[in-house]
Amino acid sequence: MHPRELLPVCGILLLLIRGSEQGIHERRLLQDLFTSNYSRFERPVENETQPVDVKFGIILQQLIDVDEKNQVVNTNIWVRMTWEAYNLVWDPLEYGNVTTIRVPVNHVWVPDILMYNSASEGFDATFPTNVVISYDGSCLWVPPGMFKSTCAIDITWFPFDDQRCDLKFGSWTHDGQYLNLTEDSPAGGDTSDFIRNGEWELIGVPVRRNLLEYECCPEFYIDLTFTIHIRRRTLYYGFNIIIPCVLISSLSLLLFILPPDAGEKISLGTTILLSLMVFLLLVAETMPPTSDAVPLIGIYFVCIMCMCSLSVLFTVMVLNLHHRSPDTHHMPSWVKHFVCGWLAWILRMERPGGGVSRRIAMQRARLNDSKLETLDEKSRSLMANVLDIEDDIRMANGSANIMMTKMEENMPMSNVNLRYDIVCILKEIRKITSKFRRDEEENDVKNEWKFAAMVLDRFCFIFCILFTVGSTVGIMWSAPHLIA
């Protein structure tokens, strides 16, 4: 082999020799600690009656997902556990000032602490990292993990809700006499490195220590329950669900402004009702199928849908009154006095036609009737000199008899024709007069029905405005918070 080819091989060998020489003290320390009388199956206490004091804490890194439908919370957490091991103590001066060592977790005793309410498939979602051991026997183990825990989601105040999800940690086999579990910090979980979530705002992670006794075992068990208190951000739901719902519900008020003769009142109300049903289905897709509570936004949707249904019902009633006529319906007295009278006066409504009151309109109708009667009397006086009442009857029965009678009296034929024409004209005038009178009476009755429909339409309009505003303000005011 050429000497130049030997140079890289020699360099690699030198590096390996130097790397092995630098860990001689740590290797000797590991041999002295773990090859003599150490066993990772025994608790690191001098007396078997003493418990191992384990301080436990969590470092919340990220809130990944909150699944309301399956009631599962997915988080990224670093678990921090510290305890004292009497059989892992050494003098740093004897081992080249080595103060700490890193040992794989399967070579040293670690507390069997698990999350009780885990929803993960493997149950234990932590990564088996090394344990940091100091010369005074203190052990530090910080395994990270993706924890999936069960959480009872309360949707009563959705989307203005707060959720409190518990993470319950405790020893699986050691009771309180053998493992004393205490919190690392009284303030709870560490959130200094928390990554901000777009849907939820983190309020805090308090902790409480519980001592529980189970029916199966006489011993008591200790657990630490960390409560992740989060609050839903309402900006997304406000712009995508609440504001469109309020705008669509406001459109239902247009049902009472649209004229009845337009023919689009019922179709507009039905379209608005279907639009609200679509928004309700969108909200129901994100909610868990539970009957324990009804979400606040669901109550609001139900109120708005009831209001839209009432709007359609009121519109049908208004259209029914608007298109009534004296041929099909007779106006009751209570409609005239209550709807057209008192209710119209309360709503400050007057009959259309330039503000003319009913009294003036009735006076004008009487004046027209008097003029027609005067014209009729003049016609009668004009015909009295030409033809009497019996002649009128005979003319009504048949013109042939009149012609024969007048010819028998030796009267001129021209006068007979003139009298006959005048009687026919008078008869037609009477028919036209009676027709005008009937038409005016029918128009008066129709106008009464239309005015009653207008009054009822105005009353329903005011009622729906008050109902919409009242329900919106009442439901929103009952929410624990509106902006998060």
Side-chain angles (χ1 to χ4, degrees):
M1 182 178 293
H2 196 273
R4 293 182 179 179
E5 297 178 355
L6 294 174
L7 290 176
V9 179
C10 295
I12 295 174
L13 292 174
L14 291 174
L15 290 175
L16 292 175
I17 293 173
R18 289 182 179 179
S20 62
E21 287 179 353
Q22 289 178 353
I24 187 173
H25 299 289
E26 186 175 349
R27 184 187 304 111
R28 185 166 55 89
L29 175 61
L30 292 174
Q31 291 177 356
D32 293 342
L33 289 177
F34 295 101
T35 59
S36 57
N37 294 324
Y38 181 81
S39 176
R40 65 185 183 91
F41 299 107
E42 63 176 340
R43 292 184 303 114
V45 291
E46 296 184 12
N47 190 353
E48 288 79 2
T49 59
Q50 296 178 353
V52 180
D53 295 328
V54 179
K55 292 184 178 180
F56 185 89
I58 63 173
I59 304 172
L60 183 60
Q61 296 291 323
Q62 185 180 8
L63 182 65
I64 299 175
D65 183 33
V66 178
D67 190 356
E68 293 95 344
K69 203 172 191 63
N70 297 318
Q71 300 193 14
V72 173
V73 178
N74 194 2
T75 53
N76 181 9
I77 296 177
W78 295 359
V79 178
R80 178 185 175 90
M81 288 177 280
T82 58
W83 66 92
E84 300 291 335
Y86 86 100
N87 50 1
L88 296 177
V89 179
W90 71 90
D91 187 3
L93 298 178
E94 296 180 0
Y95 296 95
N97 292 326
V98 177
T99 58
T100 57
I101 56 176
R102 278 75 179 170
V103 181
V105 67
N106 56 355
H107 288 79
V108 69
W109 181 91
V110 292
D112 58 340
I113 296 177
L114 297 175
M115 186 170 67
Y116 289 167
N117 58 336
S118 176
S120 302
E121 296 180 357
F123 204 84
D124 187 9
T126 57
F127 183 78
T129 58
N130 295 333
V131 180
V132 180
I133 305 174
S134 300
Y135 68 95
D136 57 354
S138 60
C139 301
L140 173 63
W141 186 33
V142 187
M146 305 292 291
F147 290 90
K148 187 180 291 186
S149 59
T150 59
C151 179
I153 304 295
D154 186 11
I155 61 172
T156 304
W157 305 109
F158 177 84
F160 310 101
D161 54 336
D162 289 11
Q163 301 298 334
R164 291 173 173 84
C165 299
D166 294 338
L167 305 178
K168 188 176 181 180
F169 294 92
S171 176
W172 194 255
T173 58
H174 294 89
D175 55 49
Q177 296 179 355
Y178 297 100
L179 195 147
N180 184 23
L181 187 63
T182 57
E183 60 270 14
D184 189 8
S185 173
D190 186 3
T191 60
S192 58
D193 297 331
F194 179 74
I195 300 175
R196 183 178 179 272
N197 187 275
E199 184 181 0
W200 298 91
E201 179 185 1
L202 181 63
I203 305 300
V205 188
V207 61
R208 67 178 183 273
R209 185 172 180 266
N210 303 316
L211 279 76
L212 300 177
E213 294 183 0
Y214 298 96
E215 296 180 358
C216 64
C217 310
E219 301 86 2
F220 67 94
Y221 289 83
I222 303 174
D223 67 81
L224 295 177
T225 302
F226 293 86
T227 303
I228 300 178
H229 185 192
I230 53 179
R231 177 172 296 170
R232 193 188 303 271
R233 300 182 185 272
T234 57
L235 185 62
Y236 170 81
Y237 296 94
F239 274 93
N240 292 277
I241 294 180
I242 298 176
I243 293 179
C245 176
V246 173
L247 295 178
I248 291 176
S249 63
S250 301
L251 293 178
S252 61
L253 302 177
L254 298 178
L255 293 175
F256 308 103
I257 301 177
L258 193 66
D261 296 329
E264 299 292 335
K265 293 172 73 71
I266 301 298
S267 59
L268 179 60
T270 306
T271 304
I272 294 172
L273 192 60
L274 292 177
S275 301
L276 289 174
M277 284 295 298
V278 172
F279 275 97
L280 183 60
L281 292 176
L282 292 177
V283 176
E285 288 180 356
T286 61
M287 292 292 98
T290 177
S291 300
D292 295 335
V294 179
L296 186 66
I297 193 171
I299 298 175
Y300 178 69
F301 270 101
V302 170
C303 292
I304 296 301
M305 289 177 63
C306 291
M307 190 274 296
C308 292
S309 302
L310 290 177
S311 301
V312 176
L313 177 62
F314 293 154
T315 303
V316 173
M317 296 173 58
V318 168
L319 291 177
N320 190 6
L321 294 179
H322 181 79
H323 293 286
R324 286 189 178 185
S325 63
D327 297 334
T328 58
H329 295 83
H330 173 71
M331 178 174 285
S333 59
W334 67 269
V335 176
K336 293 182 180 179
H337 294 87
F338 179 73
V339 178
C340 300
W342 288 100
L343 190 58
W345 179 78
I346 293 173
L347 298 177
R348 301 295 186 217
M349 293 182 63
E350 295 182 354
R351 299 180 183 273
V356 180
S357 62
R358 178 179 175 85
R359 183 175 56 82
I360 298 176
M362 293 179 63
Q363 290 179 358
R364 289 184 177 180
R366 293 196 187 101
L367 182 61
N368 293 331
D369 292 340
S370 63
K371 288 182 179 180
L372 292 175
E373 291 176 357
T374 303
L375 180 61
D376 192 9
E377 291 177 356
K378 289 182 178 180
S379 300
R380 287 176 178 270
S381 62
L382 178 63
M383 291 299 298
N385 298 326
V386 181
L387 194 66
D388 54 3
I389 299 176
E390 295 179 356
D391 293 336
D392 294 339
I393 296 174
R394 286 197 299 271
M395 289 297 296
N397 294 329
S399 58
N401 295 330
I402 295 176
M403 296 295 293
M404 294 300 295
T405 303
K406 297 305 178 182
M407 289 178 65
E408 292 176 356
E409 294 178 357
N410 298 322
M411 294 182 63
M413 194 65 184
S414 59
N415 294 334
V416 174
N417 294 332
L418 178 61
R419 291 168 186 163
Y420 177 74
D421 293 338
I422 293 174
V423 171
C424 292
I425 292 173
L426 179 60
K427 187 176 180 180
E428 295 298 329
I429 290 175
R430 288 177 178 176
K431 290 181 179 179
I432 294 173
T433 303
S434 61
K435 181 66 169 60
F436 284 162
R437 186 180 290 109
R438 286 196 304 270
D439 291 343
E440 288 183 357
E441 290 177 355
E442 291 180 358
N443 290 331
D444 290 340
V445 176
K446 289 181 179 179
N447 291 331
E448 288 286 341
W449 284 114
K450 290 182 179 180
F451 183 67
M454 291 175 57
V455 174
L456 185 61
D457 205 10
R458 179 70 61 83
F459 173 76
C460 296
F461 176 70
I462 296 175
F463 173 78
C464 289
I465 287 180
L466 295 177
F467 184 84
T468 303
V469 175
S471 60
T472 303
V473 173
I475 291 175
M476 296 303 173
W477 186 265
S478 63
H481 65 275
L482 294 178
I483 299 175

